Amino acid sequence: MRGPDDEAPVVSAYRRGDWQPSLDTAPLPGATRTRLALVPHIVAHSDRRWWDTARAGLPPLADRRELVLSALELFRHGTVTVGGIGPQSAAAFRAALWESAGLPGPLVERWGAMLYEGAARREAVAPDDALALVSLPGNTFTCLDSVLEQAERSAGVWVRPSRREPLSAARLLAALLAVGWPPHRLGLYPTEQHTLHGLLKLTDRHVVYGGAGLAASVRDSPALTLHGPGRGCALVPPGAASESIDDTVAWLLPLVAADSGRFCSNVRTIVCVDHDPEPLAKALSTALDALHPGPAPDPADPHWPLTAFREPGEADRAAASVRDALRPGDRLLTREPTVITSTGPGTGAGGDVYVRPQLALLQGDLSDLSDLSAPSHPLIGHEVPFPFTAVLGTTAEAARTLADEALFVYRPPATPGGVP
């Protein structure tokens, strides 16, 4: 008897130089019926033994940069053949990302351009004989840059896509194959979360993206480059707020809201150094309240588009992670409804669910560093898949401590020096 998913398209794995189905599959988010083939660890283990034999017979690969840039042109604008899906145009890719991951068209175009620009300016390195693994996140496909970097550097690269958004990784591999990248040098290994540790043991060099929990579990792996939480922080000296608060808001708004707040480099904490944070927090919250999701899938304002949430309850959980972490005296200054459902042309049957940008003003004893440090307040550096920032006031000494805990620290253009 045929089940409801028998005719559903299944994005294939790519192993041993070919697209491969699997008895194990997982559904993609959203209303799409598309599923993803999963590779069990025992199969990956066998493939590593195969790779050790096949590598010796691989011909040299010249002009890697030229092939990468050609592949990115196809990725952005062309039609490629993705295993299990078939020919996929750029428009079909955009539609699939909107349906399954809630990514609006302007973000897809922007992130594709960022991939191309990053690859074009990256310094070339001499390739080696390593088999690399890149484990991707689901928040943005700009992390495919690491796949391209490892493809240029390594004898072979296996890609472990996010189960929340595997379509971009599959399309990139299809584009690389279309421009002539040797098939045996590429792999697409969608897996269960627990299989990641096994893949780390099977490969020689690893690039892993993930949140704090994943970061802690893989930190001790050898030959590992770990991209964890960025805890983006902006330091605002007294002059920047008092002389032109509008200019300061204009500087901060894209740092908070660009890319729908999906990047680890987005600002999550704004530190007002030795001055009252409330005037700036109120002005910035007004600017964030003005950001609205436009008609799906291409918002009317392409500058700060918001992504839609496709998993049931995901938007409510993300919004609650801010609300539940507020402490006595903290205030949410953004006034628009937090979780909204947009209906109309281009939306799903139940509408598209969004989380609006949020800004929290934190209260604390400015003379007590421990009260404002990251361990003591969960909203400092808090990363969520929508634009969110916490604003607080503190001393210069405390600001330096907070900046030291962040991977990305921003200062107004007029203050290029150290912490005021």
Side-chain angles (χ1 to χ4, degrees):
M1 183 175 181
R2 300 177 69 85
D5 293 318
D6 286 347
E7 300 300 327
V10 179
V11 180
S12 300
Y14 192 83
R15 307 172 32 249
R16 302 195 182 197
D18 201 4
W19 296 100
Q20 302 280 358
S22 174
L23 295 176
D24 298 325
T25 65
L28 268 60
T32 176
R33 295 175 61 242
T34 303
R35 300 182 70 85
L36 175 66
L38 301 178
V39 179
H41 176 68
I42 191 172
V43 173
H45 192 274
S46 175
D47 287 352
R48 173 66 208 221
R49 293 196 303 269
W50 166 86
W51 164 256
D52 289 336
T53 301
R55 176 170 51 186
L58 291 176
L61 177 56
D63 301 321
R64 296 192 186 203
R65 176 61 54 81
E66 182 179 339
L67 288 176
V68 160
L69 295 179
S70 296
L72 283 173
E73 281 296 316
L74 269 180
F75 177 87
R76 296 170 63 196
H77 306 301
T79 296
V80 298
T81 300
V82 179
I85 295 179
Q88 182 191 65
S89 68
F93 175 57
R94 281 171 43 127
L97 284 184
W98 170 249
E99 185 179 10
S100 66
L103 299 180
L107 274 190
V108 176
E109 292 181 356
R110 169 175 160 82
W111 293 354
M114 292 173 69
L115 275 176
Y116 187 92
E117 292 162 4
R121 65 172 178 261
R122 182 169 50 244
E123 291 187 11
V125 297
D128 56 28
D129 291 329
L131 175 61
L133 170 72
V134 180
S135 182
L136 295 166
N139 57 315
T140 168
F141 65 74
T142 57
C143 297
L144 289 170
D145 184 65
S146 290
V147 174
L148 298 170
E149 180 182 18
Q150 291 303 318
E152 290 191 35
R153 176 184 179 186
S154 311
V157 57
W158 288 2
V159 182
R160 179 183 178 272
S162 165
R163 285 176 50 180
R164 289 185 292 141
E165 198 287 276
L167 299 176
S168 57
R171 180 173 173 84
L172 180 62
L173 258 68
L176 286 167
L177 293 168
V179 300
W181 205 275
H184 289 182
R185 292 184 181 271
L186 297 172
L188 184 70
Y189 284 78
T191 70
E192 300 280 4
Q193 180 65 44
H194 63 81
T195 307
L196 171 59
H197 297 275
L199 290 177
L200 292 174
K201 296 178 181 178
L202 292 174
T203 49
D204 308 317
R205 183 166 50 240
H206 332 290
V207 181
V208 176
Y209 291 84
L214 175 61
S217 71
V218 302
R219 184 171 288 115
D220 295 331
S221 298
L224 171 68
T225 300
L226 178 64
H227 297 279
R231 302 179 61 84
C233 175
L235 303 175
V236 183
S242 61
E243 295 173 6
S244 178
I245 198 168
D246 290 340
D247 289 345
T248 303
V249 168
W251 166 65
L252 288 170
L253 184 61
L255 295 177
V256 174
D259 303 295
S260 197
R262 291 287 187 105
F263 284 11
C264 62
S265 56
N266 282 109
V267 164
R268 305 298 181 177
T269 311
I270 297 172
V271 184
C272 295
V273 185
D274 289 329
H275 64 96
D276 182 6
E278 186 164 346
L280 176 60
K282 287 183 174 180
L284 181 57
S285 65
T286 298
L288 291 172
D289 275 336
L291 303 182
H292 291 267
D298 294 304
D301 181 0
H303 296 294
W304 320 119
L306 298 177
T307 54
F309 287 72
R310 295 305 189 210
E311 293 282 15
E314 183 183 14
D316 291 313
R317 289 190 296 271
S321 74
V322 172
R323 183 179 62 252
D324 294 346
L326 293 171
R327 295 188 168 183
D330 297 340
R331 290 178 287 159
L332 273 179
L333 296 188
T334 38
R335 299 302 184 190
E336 291 291 323
T338 305
V339 179
I340 62 170
T341 300
S342 174
T343 59
T347 61
D352 294 321
V353 180
Y354 300 87
V355 179
R356 297 293 313 282
Q358 301 289 292
L359 182 148
L361 177 62
L362 308 186
Q363 299 298 314
D365 182 354
L366 300 185
S367 65
D368 183 2
L369 177 61
S370 65
D371 186 51
L372 297 171
S373 62
S376 71
H377 202 302
L379 289 181
I380 294 178
H382 184 57
E383 296 196 359
V384 283
F386 63 89
F388 165 74
T389 191
V391 182
L392 59 95
T394 188
T395 62
E397 179 185 2
R400 291 189 188 95
T401 298
L402 294 174
D404 287 343
E405 296 170 345
L407 293 180
F408 300 92
V409 180
Y410 304 90
R411 298 173 178 85
T415 59
V419 177

